[in-house]
């Protein structure tokens, strides 16, 4: 559905009533690109959970897995722990920057080709055309009375939509548990109830958004059309109707008469094919609009018409506002893909990617975090010493057991004790961890009376992996009276 913002009459309502959009089938370059992106995207979505990746014993062999039960995220050779959430932050930053760069270069190309809403809506439209026919047939079917044929067609369409929606919702669950196992359990009705619940929610949202709401998601729900307007400029390539070529628009017959009389006539024959094929019902000839997702289908439709009437193609094309102004001045088109805005985005993308890559390549297989016990902040011993309590969390990311030595520095003469660690010569402790596990160890640090520090003294905890030699150093504070 789409709503025009044109006033009807001076005394009538300001906005036209909502009209259902019936996108027409179209063939051409951009439609082929959309099909390629669609099938690649859907193929990756459904196949990816079944790809295997050997990580050794005691580790899942699913290539991409969000293991909520064990607080892990696996992506081929990468394994991320909850403490490494900054990697996800970096990925989100990268995704945003890439979106900004694509917008500066080619407008809303993401919306037109790769957005999940676009991909699944295209798939649902393909099913609808297959069952109910193309645009004219669907319009006639909607207007026709309810007959046996109409009921069968509608039931078949919605059944097919529901099957696709259920496959979509079910496939999403395969990213959270071993895919073959969960698929078998769900098909045999032995799966966990939470999996059926979320699969049902995603089935409903897919069916509603791609089958019924369609362009309304782009027009009213998605924030990106409103954001991208602030990120574009006159040199960004956008789907554009070339007014200088198309106006004044008139039929082929009237154009021939105008030329015979020495009058101007544009190439646009006002066939409305660009509107008929638009998935959001936009008339691109009215200029840049919120509903235009830059998919290029209107380009394919217009090119087909121009070819039939023996006129040059690309009356509608990916073009820039700057070129439109240049043509008005009688100057040649200039395309500036490399400019300060795109250079800045590309540089920040490269910098963020390098930082993430460095962090990934230098990440350790162990980790230590320290939390000071706050209640009480410190206690005093009978001998006059001062004791502070800490909770140390050790992480062993390897698939084999690990032993860590803990050394404490910064507080002169301090003694370190723990009921969950073995004492080590020199005042240190030894902590044993199981494979791929974390362990919280309560540790007490006691300073003697003759060396009791002041209100706050920095204290250093150093954990050393006995097998790999990796060291994790954490600085905290030791408090006294």
């Amino acid at each position: 559905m789409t709503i025009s913002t044109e006033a009807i009459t001076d005394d009538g309502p300001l906005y036209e009533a909502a009209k259902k959009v019936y996108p027409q089938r179209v063939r051409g370059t951009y439609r082929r690109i959309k099909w390629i992106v669609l099938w690649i995207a859907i193929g990756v979505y459904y196949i990816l959970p079944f790809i295997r990746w050997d990580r050794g014993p005691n580790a899942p062999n699913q290539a991409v897995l969000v293991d909520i039960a064990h607080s892990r995220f696996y992506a081929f050779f990468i394994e991320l722990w909850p403490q490494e959430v900054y990697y996800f932050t970096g990925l989100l930053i990268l995704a945003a920057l890439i979106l900004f760069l694509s917008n500066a270069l080619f407008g809303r190309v993401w919306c037109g080709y790769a957005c999940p809403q676009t991909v699944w809506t295209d798939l649902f439209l393909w099913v609808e055309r297959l069952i109910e026919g193309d645009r004219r047939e669907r319009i006639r079917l909607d207007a026709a009375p309810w007959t046996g044929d109409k009921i069968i067609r509608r039931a078949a369409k919605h059944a097919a939509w529901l099957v696709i929606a259920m496959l979509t919702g079910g496939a999403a669950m395969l990213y959270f548990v071993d895919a073959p196992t969960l698929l078998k359990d769900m098909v045999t009705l032995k799966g966990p109830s939470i999996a059926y619940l979320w699969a049902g929610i995603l089935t409903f949202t897919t069916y509603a958004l791609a089958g019924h709401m369609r362009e309304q998601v782009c027009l009213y729900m998605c924030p990106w059309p409103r954001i991208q307007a602030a990120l574009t400029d006159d040199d960004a390539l956008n789907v554009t109707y070339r007014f200088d070529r198309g106006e004044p628009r008139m039929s082929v017959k009237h154009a021939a008469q105008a030329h015979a009389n020495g009058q101007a006539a544009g190439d646009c024959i006002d066939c409305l094919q660009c509107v008929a094929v638009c998935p959001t019902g936009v008339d691109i000839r009215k200029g840049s609009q919120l509903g235009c997702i830059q998919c290029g289908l209107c380009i394919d439709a217009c090119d087909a018409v121009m070819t039939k009437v023996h006129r040059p193609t690309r009356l509608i094309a990916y073009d820039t506002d700057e070129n439109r102004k240049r043509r008005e001045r009688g100057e040649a088109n200039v395309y500036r893909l490399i400019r300060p805005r795109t250079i800045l985005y590309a540089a920040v993308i490269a910098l963020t990617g390098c930082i993430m890559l460095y962090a990934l390549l230098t990440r350790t297989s162990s980790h230590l975090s320290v939390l000071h016990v706050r209640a009480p902040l410190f206690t005093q011993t009978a001998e006059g010493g001062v004791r502070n309590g800490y909770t140390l969390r050790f992480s062993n990311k390897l698939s084999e057991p690990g032993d860590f030595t803990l050394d404490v520095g910064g507080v002169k003469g301090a003694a370190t004790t723990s009921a969950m660690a073995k004492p080590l010569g020199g005042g240190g402790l030894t902590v044993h961890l199981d494979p791929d596990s974390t362990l919280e160890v309560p540790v007490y640090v006691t300073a003697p009376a003759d060396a009791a520090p002041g209100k706050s003294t920095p204290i250093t905890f150093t954990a050393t992996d006995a097998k790999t030699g990796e060291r994790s150093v954490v600085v905290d504070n030791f408090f006294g009276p």
Side-chain angles (χ1 to χ4, degrees), residues 225-272:
R226 288 124 180 114
I227 297 172
Q228 66 91 29
L231 300 173
T232 191
D233 57 22
D234 286 349
D235 288 301
L237 285 165
N238 291 290
V239 174
T240 306
Y241 168 66
R242 290 171 167 167
F243 296 91
D244 51 304
R245 251 193 66 189
E247 301 298 322
R249 65 185 79 152
M250 59 187 70
S251 67
V252 175
K253 180 180 179 180
H254 289 162
Q257 293 174 352
H259 286 306
N261 296 329
Q263 299 173 345
D267 282 343
C268 179
I269 64 173
D270 211 15
C271 63
L272 297 178

Side-chain angles (χ1 to χ4, degrees), residues 185-441:
D185 289 344
M186 292 186 72
V187 170
T188 57
L189 303 180
K190 297 178 181 178
S193 57
I194 190 68
Y196 290 112
L197 173 63
W198 278 106
I201 292 173
L202 292 173
T203 296
F204 170 76
T205 54
T206 303
Y207 174 74
L209 297 180
H212 295 278
M213 300 183 70
R214 294 183 178 175
E215 72 281 351
Q216 296 183 29
V217 176
C218 306
L219 292 171
Y220 306 116
M221 296 175 63
C222 180
W224 179 237
R226 288 124 180 114
I227 297 172
Q228 66 91 29
L231 300 173
T232 191
D233 57 22
D234 286 349
D235 288 301
L237 285 165
N238 291 290
V239 174
T240 306
Y241 168 66
R242 290 171 167 167
F243 296 91
D244 51 304
R245 251 193 66 189
E247 301 298 322
R249 65 185 79 152
M250 59 187 70
S251 67
V252 175
K253 180 180 179 180
H254 289 162
Q257 293 174 352
H259 286 306
N261 296 329
Q263 299 173 345
D267 282 343
C268 179
I269 64 173
D270 211 15
C271 63
L272 297 178
Q273 285 299 295
C274 56
V275 182
V277 302
C278 180
T280 59
V282 163
D283 187 345
I284 193 63
R285 299 172 301 172
K286 295 180 181 179
S288 180
Q289 298 163 68
L290 186 70
C292 179
I293 61 173
Q294 306 285 309
C295 62
L297 296 183
C298 55
I299 300 177
D300 289 335
C302 186
D303 281 355
V305 173
M306 291 295 102
T307 300
K308 289 179 181 178
V309 298
H310 307 292
R311 294 179 182 178
T313 58
R314 292 300 189 265
L315 174 60
I316 302 174
Y318 275 96
D319 204 354
T320 68
D321 289 342
E322 179 61 27
N323 280 336
R324 178 180 57 81
K325 297 174 185 176
R326 291 179 66 86
R327 288 194 297 271
E328 290 176 355
R329 299 193 298 264
E331 300 174 0
N333 290 339
V334 174
Y335 298 96
R336 298 174 58 242
L337 296 181
I338 300 176
R339 54 190 191 274
R341 180 189 294 262
T342 59
I343 292 173
L344 175 62
Y345 288 150
V348 178
I349 289 171
L351 177 61
T352 305
C354 288
I355 293 173
M356 289 186 60
L357 181 62
Y358 174 79
L360 189 64
L361 294 176
T362 58
R363 65 197 293 261
T364 62
S365 59
S366 61
H367 180 76
L368 173 68
S369 62
V370 178
L371 179 64
H372 196 290
V373 176
R374 297 289 174 176
L377 195 60
F378 65 89
T379 58
Q380 290 185 288
T381 65
E383 294 79 13
V386 179
R387 176 180 296 159
N388 281 209
Y390 303 87
T391 300
L392 275 61
R393 178 187 285 269
F394 293 84
S395 300
N396 177 24
K397 302 175 185 178
L398 297 176
S399 57
E400 52 191 15
D403 292 300
F404 295 83
T405 59
L406 176 67
D407 297 304
V408 179
V411 180
K412 185 178 180 181
T416 307
T417 58
S418 175
M420 296 180 62
K422 296 179 181 180
L424 189 65
L429 299 173
T430 300
V431 180
H432 178 79
L433 264 71
D434 292 331
D436 192 35
S437 65
T438 61
L439 180 65
E440 287 189 354
V441 180

Side-chain angles (χ1 to χ4, degrees), residues 384-386 410-414 446-454 457 478:
V386 179
V411 180
K412 185 178 180 181
T446 306
D450 57 351
T457 301
F478 186 93

Side-chain angles (χ1 to χ4, degrees), residues 171-192:
M173 296 301 99
L174 303 180
Y175 285 89
F176 297 88
V177 184
D178 182 67
T181 304
L182 181 61
L183 179 62
K184 179 181 177 181
D185 289 344
M186 292 186 72
V187 170
T188 57
L189 303 180
K190 297 178 181 178

